[in-house]
Amino acid sequence: MAFWWPLIVAASAYAICRFLLMLIPFNVPSIDVDASDVTEGNQTQENSFIYIPPRGRAQQSDKKVQCYEPATMKYLGYFHALSPAEVHDRVAQARKAQKIWAESSFKQRRQFLRILLKYIIEHQELICEVSSRDTGKTMVDASLGEIMTTCEKITWLLSEGEKWLKPEYRCSGRAMFYKKSRVEFHPLGVIGAIVSWNYPFHNIFNPMLAAVFSGNSIVIKVSENASWSGLFYFRIIQAALAAVGAPENLVDVITGFAETGEALVSSVDKIIFVGSPGVGKMIMRNASDTLIPVTLELGGKDPFIVCEDADVSHVAQIAVRAVLQSSGQNCAGAERFYVHRDIYSSFVSEVTKIVKSVSVGPPLAGRYDMGAICLQEHSDKLQILVNDALEKGAEIVVRGSFGHLGEGAVDQFYPPTVLVNVDHTMKLMQEETFGPIMPIMKFSTDEEAVKLANDSRYGLGCAVFSGSQRRAREIASQIHCGVAAVNDFASNYMCQSLPFGGVKHSGFGRFAGVEGLRACCLVKSVVEDRLWPYIKTRIPKPIQYPVGENGFEFQQSLVEALYGLNIRDKLRAGVNVLKIMSEHNSSNSKSRNE
């Protein structure tokens, strides 16, 4: 005990000191971001009229990105759609900035993150209001999907980011036992990101945080459907970068349409894309011209499986939240519901009660559970999918109610809708809905549930609920997807140490977690002598040029000596290696004497 006592005291003292250091607050400066033109009631005259967006793809031919509130159709203004030449110039400026930032310290990068975190926490309402106005989502959904996920990512990077970017030492193996082997992580250069509209704040910050912390610069093309909010959020990033003395143009946010995105793909060192499978394929084709790495997150058709031993009322609440989150603009939302036939009726009954209480309306005009649909004409697509299901035998059991929508804004809203008697012949069960529709289907066995869940071209995520954790885990393990939640839904994304991404038409590559952070790096393997110059690689005599007659015999014996499966064979081979080397040495000595 006398021996251990000093160690216990020392360890306790260390722990107490660490705890006391944690109580000392970091000196984090505040930043000032001008928000006078984005707060409601303090905007330009352009916001005084109702905007009528052009139908179809007419807007794509314009050189301006027109912005409006989907919930009220209030005009927010417009932004310039960058030409390819302008995009290339922005990337060139980011490339110059990256060469400077690559030499920055992790201390400086962490301070940048802390400044952002402080601003986000102190301005939650502003950030959520801007997101709500530009996409139609409610304040609560904006807080869940924009604020919490971003704060979690920042916190994880502050805690573990540096550790995962430091050189990682690996085993050198048997043949190179006298070597030191490691993996180094260097910045790639300029990261390009093309992000979707559904989470305008987080979709900008998510790739930006990983890129900048790993020493890269980044140019982000925001969606034409969320450019107004995106350019305001860019001001926050600029202010935080300036506060830590980062070079100008390290982060850039650009606006435009297809040609703007194509120009970005052709000029960066890696592209991250969040969007549809169709556009994802085009990006892959364009990226093949310069052979840059690509990360694609292309949406999903996530199955939500409820076994007969699950807590029905509890799971019903989660199910409705899963399909209605972010005002029906669900990112990794559940879109196919499979419920065991023994509890099918009770589950539908519980869901019906909840959906009946859901109210739909302009999110900043009252306490609504669901807001507007951001995408123009998307409500028409949703109705087409529902009509197809109804024609093939499905039945609507409940729809949510509308609040006060305002004249001329009805097309931007769609009531939450629950359907039963659905099957996989219906487009609703095969095509990505991206809307507040819940189709519920029966299953009888776990095997059938797995088969139904895998009957999809998508493979992003899944959720499985059962009274038996082991059973839920077993079902989830058989579903071909990249993200699985056991007795929960979408909790994976709040664990920022985990990678996020899918398979099949949901894309490939990962962001978030160690994998996402290192995906922003050039991964370089390095080998060097452990005791240089005393021990280093020397080519054995039998295989030096000119190669001896028994050179191959030497190699055979060497392989068996190093990798043989039993000691006797390895020893025999080792003796033969020494014998051949001895014969060569004797032969060389004899030649010199002659």
Side-chain angles (χ1 to χ4, degrees):
M1 183 65 184
F3 173 77
W4 291 105
W5 181 246
L7 294 178
I8 294 172
V9 172
S12 301
Y14 176 77
I16 292 171
C17 290
R18 286 291 300 269
F19 176 73
L20 292 175
L21 285 173
M22 288 173 60
L23 297 179
I24 301 174
F26 289 102
N27 181 23
V28 182
S30 298
I31 55 175
D32 183 31
V33 179
D34 182 16
S36 60
D37 60 335
V38 297
T39 52
E40 196 167 22
N42 189 22
Q43 295 182 317
T44 64
Q45 189 176 2
E46 290 173 330
N47 300 90
S48 62
F49 63 89
I50 299 298
Y51 178 65
I52 302 176
R55 307 294 284 182
R57 298 182 61 84
Q59 187 181 0
Q60 296 287 349
S61 62
D62 201 341
K63 294 301 179 184
K64 297 176 181 178
V65 179
Q66 308 282 0
C67 305
Y68 63 96
E69 291 185 17
T72 64
M73 303 310 249
K74 183 181 291 186
Y75 190 54
L76 296 172
Y78 65 87
F79 299 99
H80 174 59
L82 270 67
S83 68
E86 290 171 313
V87 174
H88 294 153
D89 180 60
R90 297 284 193 96
V91 172
Q93 293 178 48
R95 196 173 296 284
K96 291 178 183 178
Q98 188 275 328
K99 295 183 184 304
I100 300 171
W101 183 250
E103 303 301 321
S104 64
S105 66
F106 282 110
K107 180 180 179 181
Q108 185 180 12
R109 298 176 194 180
R110 278 193 294 269
Q111 185 71 337
F112 167 62
L113 298 188
R114 291 190 188 103
I115 291 171
L116 286 176
L117 184 61
K118 181 178 181 180
Y119 183 89
I120 293 168
I121 293 171
E122 293 176 352
H123 297 82
Q124 296 181 55
E125 186 173 1
L126 171 63
I127 292 168
C128 290
E129 182 180 324
V130 170
S131 175
S132 176
R133 292 190 65 191
D134 208 14
T135 65
K137 68 181 66 190
T138 65
M139 293 288 283
V140 170
D141 285 333
S143 178
L144 288 170
E146 307 274 33
I147 300 295
M148 287 190 70
T149 51
T150 304
C151 288
E152 188 65 36
K153 188 177 188 74
I154 292 174
T155 304
W156 179 76
L157 283 170
L158 286 170
S159 175
E160 298 188 32
E162 181 179 356
K163 176 179 74 173
W164 295 113
L165 292 176
K166 285 184 174 180
E168 183 177 284
Y169 285 86
R170 305 279 180 89
C171 172
S172 295
R174 295 182 180 180
M176 296 287 110
F177 67 92
Y178 58 95
K179 298 283 189 179
K180 289 190 295 185
S181 303
R182 67 179 178 272
V183 181
E184 296 178 351
F185 304 94
H186 301 274
L188 275 173
V190 183
I191 306 294
I194 301 175
V195 298
S196 60
W197 47 268
N198 55 336
Y199 292 98
F201 181 74
H202 182 70
N203 283 350
I204 289 175
F205 275 68
N206 183 36
M208 181 278 297
L209 290 167
V212 171
F213 193 81
S214 55
N216 298 281
S217 61
I218 185 168
V219 180
I220 306 167
K221 181 200 170 293
V222 289
S223 168
E224 56 269 29
N225 297 297
S227 296
W228 179 77
S229 57
L231 288 176
F232 168 68
Y233 297 144
F234 178 39
R235 297 180 200 170
I236 301 171
I237 299 169
Q238 285 179 305
L241 287 170
V244 297
E248 289 187 23
N249 308 310
L250 184 68
V251 176
D252 204 352
V253 173
I254 60 176
T255 54
F257 300 107
E259 68 170 7
T260 305
E262 290 170 3
L264 183 63
V265 174
S266 68
S267 53
V268 294
D269 302 303
K270 175 187 171 70
I271 195 73
I272 299 170
F273 174 71
V274 182
S276 69
V279 178
K281 291 177 182 179
M282 288 191 289
I283 285 176
M284 280 189 68
R285 284 193 289 269
N286 292 340
S288 68
D289 291 337
T290 50
L291 290 176
I292 60 170
V294 178
T295 294
L296 300 178
E297 200 278 277
L298 305 177
K301 195 74 180 168
D302 291 4
F304 189 106
I305 298 172
V306 187
C307 299
E308 77 282 1
D309 55 354
D311 183 340
V312 173
S313 60
H314 169 71
V315 178
Q317 269 288 345
I318 296 176
V320 176
R321 163 62 65 180
V323 79
L324 302 186
Q325 67 172 355
S326 300
S327 305
Q329 304 158 34
N330 33 321
C331 180
E335 293 203 356
R336 298 178 291 151
F337 292 79
Y338 303 105
V339 180
H340 195 280
R341 62 176 58 253
D342 290 351
I343 59 166
Y344 186 80
S345 297
S346 58
F347 181 82
V348 171
S349 177
E350 286 290 332
V351 165
T352 299
K353 286 191 293 185
I354 298 168
V355 172
K356 279 183 178 179
S357 68
V358 174
S359 57
V360 183
L364 297 179
R367 299 180 68 87
Y368 292 106
D369 302 296
M370 201 185 95
I373 291 175
C374 181
L375 290 182
Q376 174 194 340
E377 303 176 23
H378 191 62
S379 58
D380 295 339
K381 175 188 173 184
L382 297 179
Q383 193 56 51
I384 290 171
L385 293 175
V386 170
N387 290 343
D388 174 76
L390 295 175
E391 290 171 3
K392 294 175 180 175
E395 177 187 350
I396 294 176
V397 292
V398 66
R399 304 192 94 166
S401 60
F402 288 118
H404 178 69
L405 300 182
E407 186 178 354
V410 176
D411 284 351
Q412 293 296 122
F413 294 85
Y414 196 88
T417 303
V418 179
L419 294 96
V420 295
N421 300 329
V422 295
D423 59 54
H424 281 206
T425 66
M426 302 170 184
K427 294 179 181 178
L428 184 61
M429 296 296 282
Q430 296 295 339
E431 297 182 14
E432 186 176 25
T433 308
F434 232 75
I437 301 174
M438 179 186 288
I440 309 176
M441 188 173 174
K442 299 176 185 177
F443 72 88
S444 299
T445 65
D446 294 358
E447 292 75 19
E448 183 185 6
V450 170
K451 183 178 179 180
L452 290 169
N454 285 329
D455 182 24
S456 173
R457 59 179 177 169
Y458 293 101
L460 183 56
C462 73
V464 183
F465 293 82
S466 169
S468 166
Q469 190 91 338
R470 180 178 179 180
R471 179 185 179 189
R473 189 188 310 124
E474 177 65 22
I475 293 172
S477 70
Q478 298 177 66
I479 297 174
H480 193 40
C481 64
V483 178
V486 175
N487 281 323
D488 205 345
F489 171 77
S491 53
N492 309 65
Y493 207 71
M494 287 304 296
C495 302
Q496 280 291 314
S497 63
L498 295 176
F500 183 85
V503 295
K504 298 190 284 189
H505 280 228
S506 290
F508 57 84
R510 297 293 183 265
F511 51 77
V514 179
E515 293 80 3
L517 184 61
R518 289 178 170 178
C520 293
C521 299
L522 165 62
V523 181
K524 182 183 292 185
S525 62
V526 180
V527 176
E528 60 181 276
D529 289 308
R530 192 182 300 276
L531 297 173
W532 188 89
Y534 307 107
I535 300 177
K536 52 190 175 182
T537 300
R538 295 186 184 277
I539 300 174
K541 294 288 185 180
I543 58 173
Q544 287 184 6
Y545 295 124
V547 176
E549 293 182 0
N550 53 359
F552 183 70
E553 181 187 352
F554 172 82
Q555 274 300 118
Q556 280 184 306
S557 297
L558 182 62
V559 168
E560 190 167 2
L562 289 171
Y563 310 110
L565 296 178
N566 62 72
I567 293 294
R568 186 178 64 180
D569 290 343
K570 292 175 73 166
L571 288 174
R572 177 180 51 77
V575 169
N576 198 41
V577 166
L578 295 175
K579 178 183 175 183
I580 295 173
M581 290 186 66
S582 176
E583 289 175 354
H584 268 268
N585 289 334
S586 299
S587 176
N588 290 338
S589 176
K590 184 177 180 181
S591 297
R592 284 196 299 269
N593 291 333
E594 292 177 353

